Amino acid sequence: MASIAAAPRRGPLNIPTVAGAGFLVAWVAGLSVPVPTPGFGASGSEIVAAYAGHESAAAVQFLLTEGLPPAALALVPLALARAAGWSRAGRVAAAAGLAAAVVSFAQFLFGMALVAAPSPGAAHGWLEALNRADGVKMFLLATVGVAGALAGALPRWLAATGLALAVAIAGSGIGYALLLTGVATLAYVSLPLLILFITGAGIALGRKAGQPCRARG
């Protein structure tokens, strides 16, 4: 007769939980690092002056906010696609998440180059590339939010969070891609939503994967 196994499944299926929690920890730690942030209109000389004496702290912040988060940006949407049975929405979320992870890691490399920029001109170029890449990443994450909401694998509150994230982060993405300060301030709304969505989705998907499975005996 059928029975419920006492122990949950273990192993790779727990990865979404670890990835989601790691995303939260990395961002909180990264935002806690005191580093000056030059605005879009800063000149090369102003950028160099802002980072002078803060090179090590800036490198740590770039690692925590751009170098480590790509793991979660790739793994959580992949877990979502798997939980959704690789539906069309699930596949779109996975593809957009993987692309966002690649862009985020590129931003980490841009950040390392920015910190070590040998001249004001180079510093200005790297910061502009970093910000414009952020805009591209935000559009991809808006796609993850919409596709994740439509995939049907998340709790309703997380699906709603995904839709809210899509609206906010697409708006801030326009600001970063076009270097428009006014619109870019939407990042103050979209970043908390992103952290909530990725962390919440990772934990929810991890719990779903770890639920007892039906066994025969």
Side-chain angles (χ1 to χ4, degrees):
M1 61 179 177
S3 61
I4 301 298
R9 291 176 288 176
R10 297 178 180 178
L13 294 176
N14 290 322
I15 288 177
T17 300
V18 175
F23 189 80
L24 170 64
V25 171
W27 265 104
V28 170
L31 294 175
S32 300
V33 179
V35 179
T37 304
F40 290 156
S43 66
S45 298
E46 290 172 335
I47 296 169
V48 171
Y51 283 117
H54 300 280
E55 292 87 354
S56 296
V60 171
Q61 186 178 70
F62 281 124
L63 173 65
L64 292 170
T65 60
E66 306 295 353
L68 298 181
L73 295 181
L75 293 172
V76 172
L78 281 172
L80 189 153
R82 179 175 180 176
W86 297 102
S87 64
R88 178 178 297 179
R91 294 196 304 271
V92 169
L98 287 170
V102 171
V103 174
S104 183
F105 191 75
Q107 286 182 277
F108 166 63
L109 298 180
F110 293 167
M112 294 297 99
L114 170 61
V115 171
S119 67
H124 187 273
W126 283 118
L127 182 60
E128 183 172 316
L130 181 69
N131 286 328
R132 291 190 187 277
D134 217 2
V136 174
K137 182 178 69 178
M138 289 176 183
F139 293 137
L140 291 168
L141 291 174
T143 303
V144 173
V146 172
L150 297 178
L154 297 175
R156 289 184 180 179
W157 72 270
L158 268 176
T161 301
L163 294 176
L165 166 65
V167 173
I169 206 165
S172 58
I174 294 173
Y176 274 82
L178 301 180
L179 304 183
L180 302 174
T181 303
V183 185
T185 55
L186 283 171
Y188 290 107
V189 176
S190 60
L191 179 57
L193 286 172
L194 174 63
I195 294 173
L196 177 61
F197 181 73
I198 295 296
T199 302
I203 293 173
L205 293 167
R207 285 179 175 175
K208 180 181 292 188
Q211 287 176 351
C213 57
R214 188 172 295 275
R216 296 192 176 275

